[in-house]
Amino acid sequence: LKCLKARFATPSTRSQGARMGQVKMRVRRTIRAPGCLRSGATMGYREFQHDMKQIRSVISLVFQTDGSVFPLSLRVAIPCAMVTATLRLLLQIEIEPVTTVFQSWVIQNDAYSGFSALLGFLVVFRTSQAYNRYWDGAMLLYGFAGDFFGAGSSLVAFCECSEADARLIMTFKQTIIRLLSLLHACCLGHLQDQSVAVNRLYHLELIDIAGFTPESLERIKESGGQVELVFHWVQTLVMRNVHNGVIAAPSPLVSRAFQELADGLVKFHEALRIAELPFPLPYVQSTFVLLLVHWLITPIIVSLWSNSVTAAFIFSFIPVFTLWSLHGAAAELENPFGDDANDFCSEEYQQLMNQRLALLLSPTACELPELLPTAEFECWAKRAASPYTSGRSSVHSSLLEAMQQDSTELRRIQEIPSSESPTQPEADSVPMPTSAWRRQALAATSLSRASRVSPSECHVVVGETGSQCSSEMAMAKDCEAFEAAIAAAFDHCVAQNNIQV
């Protein structure tokens, strides 16, 4: 700004007001220019907003009470600190009974320090074990959900090449998706509470549970093992559809789906071990009793050590609050399957599983992505020449070389002139590619040049009507003969697909 003002401060015939107006206009243009003062101010404001957002998140984290162990720790530590401060105050006033009793006690500092260290080790060890149980439960929960979805995706994919009745195929797909949703809900219900597993099961979101017969639902209610029953139904349904030809896949592939189902059931039982087997009672009981003893002797020890009421309050509050916070955290993380604030929400996981299973039956999953005949593969060639690919395996290098050859041949095919161009001499004719998809790409390119249709749509047209000119394509020795075969089948393609020429 100083440079701009000095620039326009030279003597001139114009008035000072006009000169200052020009200065202001130039300053505004400078501020509005990209990459100048405005960008710096915007970046500073964005950083300020980001910092304020982090501060607010930290404050909300400290004062959050839902699922926190601080309320329990405060209810235990504050009375202990108040008792300590009261004893210190009585000692300062020198009340005769209290002073006589406390002075008669000879307490060694090493004894209290050793007891506190031992208690801290016990509490920290239990907290670490509870932390490991929590994350093991999370891994197992996601593990059996992923195995069930993988098995369902494989079984639905196995029906794509089936020659059975379309109604039987659709019935199998719909049934297997509903059973997998029911199986996942049964697993979540058993993990949360064994006593009300059946009642909790029907509070979860299921994929069209009303589509099953009432007798089937009654059998689930009366069964002692809902998870095992539904798991057996899934395997039986798969075997019956393998027998009647709905699942058209080799036996090793079908066994892979069974393996995924079995892995999911094993992970469920491992998670059930965490939910059913609590931390050993002797350890928990001993730790709790020692915490009570520590709470009782801390006011006496700290009141004798400190010389002020404030110091007695603070130094008795900190160790009690720390130990009881760790103890409460261990109790919260010990069993992640429940209804507490820190436990896994079964309703959300069930909804997420249902969305994944319903995706298998959606039209989006049935339509596979198609590669354009004009797709470029030069990026793979550039990666092959990059110094970062020097450590790749020989298989990967051979794949890159093959894709580079395909890119070169495809680019050569696209550069071939159309049939309207003058016929080239026989000596200059380009040999035809031997791969079927490369011939199809050449046919789609030639058809796209002669019509108003995009190459991708022409690729579909040639694929659908390839049987009309298959013999001519196979007999073609060069590009001229191949384009003659395309011209012969061109009228048929136009009439069948309504292409505007």
Side-chain angles (χ1 to χ4, degrees):
L1 295 178
K2 291 181 179 179
C3 292
L4 288 174
K5 290 181 180 180
R7 178 180 178 182
F8 291 99
T10 56
S12 177
T13 57
R14 289 175 294 181
S15 63
Q16 184 178 2
R19 191 163 57 248
M20 290 305 298
Q22 190 174 4
V23 170
K24 292 180 180 179
M25 186 178 296
R26 288 294 182 90
V27 169
R28 290 171 184 170
R29 291 178 182 177
T30 305
I31 293 177
R32 293 178 182 176
C36 294
L37 299 178
R38 187 179 181 182
S39 61
T42 305
M43 290 297 296
Y45 180 69
R46 290 178 180 176
E47 292 179 358
F48 174 75
Q49 279 188 329
H50 179 68
D51 295 340
M52 291 302 297
K53 185 181 295 184
Q54 287 186 342
I55 293 173
R56 287 194 297 267
S57 63
V58 169
I59 293 175
S60 62
L61 176 64
V62 172
F63 292 98
Q64 181 180 356
T65 58
D66 188 16
S68 176
V69 297
F70 287 168
L72 174 63
S73 303
L74 290 174
R75 287 195 297 267
V76 175
I78 290 178
C80 181
M82 294 178 64
V83 171
T84 307
T86 304
L87 292 177
R88 182 66 255 176
L89 182 61
L90 294 176
L91 290 175
Q92 286 182 354
I93 299 175
E94 295 183 357
I95 298 178
E96 186 62 28
V98 177
T99 305
T100 304
V101 171
F102 273 62
Q103 288 180 355
S104 63
W105 292 353
V106 179
I107 301 176
Q108 298 294 331
N109 298 339
D110 296 339
Y112 179 77
S113 301
F115 174 73
S116 300
L118 176 62
L119 181 58
F121 174 77
L122 294 176
V123 173
V124 169
F125 177 76
R126 187 195 172 191
T127 305
S128 64
Q129 294 298 316
Y131 181 82
N132 293 332
R133 286 166 62 94
Y134 184 87
W135 287 113
D136 288 344
M139 293 176 60
L140 294 172
L141 180 62
Y142 279 94
F144 69 74
D147 289 336
F148 292 158
F149 175 78
S153 177
S154 300
L155 294 174
V156 171
F158 291 161
C159 302
E160 293 298 322
C161 300
S162 176
E163 298 179 356
D165 188 9
R167 183 175 180 81
L168 293 177
I169 297 176
M170 183 56 64
T171 302
F172 169 73
K173 290 182 178 180
Q174 297 286 340
T175 307
I176 195 65
I177 293 301
R178 286 168 171 80
L179 285 179
L180 289 176
S181 175
L182 180 60
L183 177 61
H184 188 262
C186 290
C187 293
L188 293 179
H190 275 260
L191 288 176
Q192 286 200 336
D193 194 351
Q194 279 279 3
S195 60
V196 293
V198 179
N199 298 331
R200 185 181 299 277
L201 171 63
Y202 293 100
H203 285 84
L204 297 176
E205 178 184 307
L206 299 173
I207 297 180
D208 192 20
I209 189 63
F212 292 107
T213 59
E215 292 79 8
S216 301
L217 300 180
E218 288 296 330
R219 286 197 294 269
I220 295 177
K221 290 183 179 180
E222 296 174 357
S223 175
Q226 288 81 15
V227 176
E228 289 75 11
L229 177 62
V230 178
F231 182 81
H232 178 70
W233 284 352
V234 172
Q235 296 195 79
T236 305
L237 178 66
V238 173
M239 287 305 303
R240 289 182 180 179
N241 285 272
V242 169
H243 179 71
N244 59 20
V246 173
I247 298 179
S251 299
L253 297 181
V254 179
S255 64
R256 179 62 181 172
F258 280 104
Q259 183 65 37
E260 289 180 341
L261 289 172
D263 291 342
L265 187 64
V266 170
K267 292 178 182 178
F268 160 71
H269 281 94
E270 291 180 359
L272 193 63
R273 171 180 57 83
I274 298 176
E276 290 182 348
L277 298 179
F279 208 80
L281 177 62
Y283 195 99
V284 178
Q285 187 179 24
S286 302
T287 305
F288 184 74
V289 171
L290 291 177
L291 283 172
L292 293 178
V293 174
H294 180 267
W295 190 94
L296 292 175
I297 66 175
T298 297
I300 301 174
I301 303 300
V302 176
S303 62
L304 292 175
W305 286 354
S306 59
N307 295 324
S308 65
V309 177
T310 305
F313 184 91
I314 294 175
F315 289 111
S316 62
F317 174 82
I318 292 176
V320 175
F321 179 80
T322 303
L323 292 176
W324 282 87
S325 296
L326 294 176
H327 177 73
E332 286 288 333
L333 301 178
E334 182 179 344
N335 184 12
F337 307 105
D339 296 329
D340 298 335
N342 295 305
D343 296 336
F344 303 135
C345 183
S346 59
E347 288 79 7
E348 295 181 359
Y349 286 102
Q350 181 63 23
Q351 291 177 2
L352 182 60
M353 184 65 177
N354 291 337
Q355 293 177 2
R356 294 172 178 174
L357 292 174
L359 179 64
L360 299 177
L361 301 179
S362 63
T364 305
C366 299
E367 297 178 359
L368 298 179
E370 298 180 358
L371 186 65
L372 295 175
T374 58
E376 293 289 342
F377 297 96
E378 293 184 357
C379 59
W380 292 94
K382 293 179 180 179
R383 290 186 183 181
S386 175
Y388 297 103
T389 59
S390 58
R392 302 289 179 89
S393 60
S394 58
V395 178
H396 189 74
S397 302
S398 60
L399 175 62
L400 293 177
E401 292 176 1
M403 298 190 71
Q404 186 176 3
Q405 294 176 2
D406 292 343
S407 175
T408 304
E409 188 167 358
L410 183 59
R411 185 168 57 253
R412 179 183 56 80
I413 291 174
Q414 294 171 356
E415 294 175 355
I416 296 176
S418 60
S419 57
E420 297 179 359
S421 60
T423 305
Q424 298 179 359
E426 184 69 23
D428 298 333
S429 60
V430 182
M432 282 301 301
T434 57
S435 177
W437 74 269
R438 295 169 187 166
R439 290 171 176 263
Q440 189 173 353
L442 176 58
T445 305
S446 302
L447 184 59
S448 176
R449 290 197 185 101
S451 62
R452 298 179 181 177
V453 185
S454 61
S456 59
E457 296 180 359
C458 291
H459 186 74
V460 177
V461 169
V462 173
E464 294 177 353
T465 61
S467 59
Q468 301 295 330
C469 56
S470 59
S471 59
E472 291 83 355
M473 290 170 61
M475 295 174 59
K477 300 299 183 182
D478 51 18
C479 293
E480 287 77 12
F482 187 85
E483 291 186 353
I486 292 297
F490 183 70
D491 295 334
H492 178 75
C493 296
V494 170
Q496 183 175 357
N497 297 276
N498 297 325
I499 300 178
Q500 297 179 0
V501 181

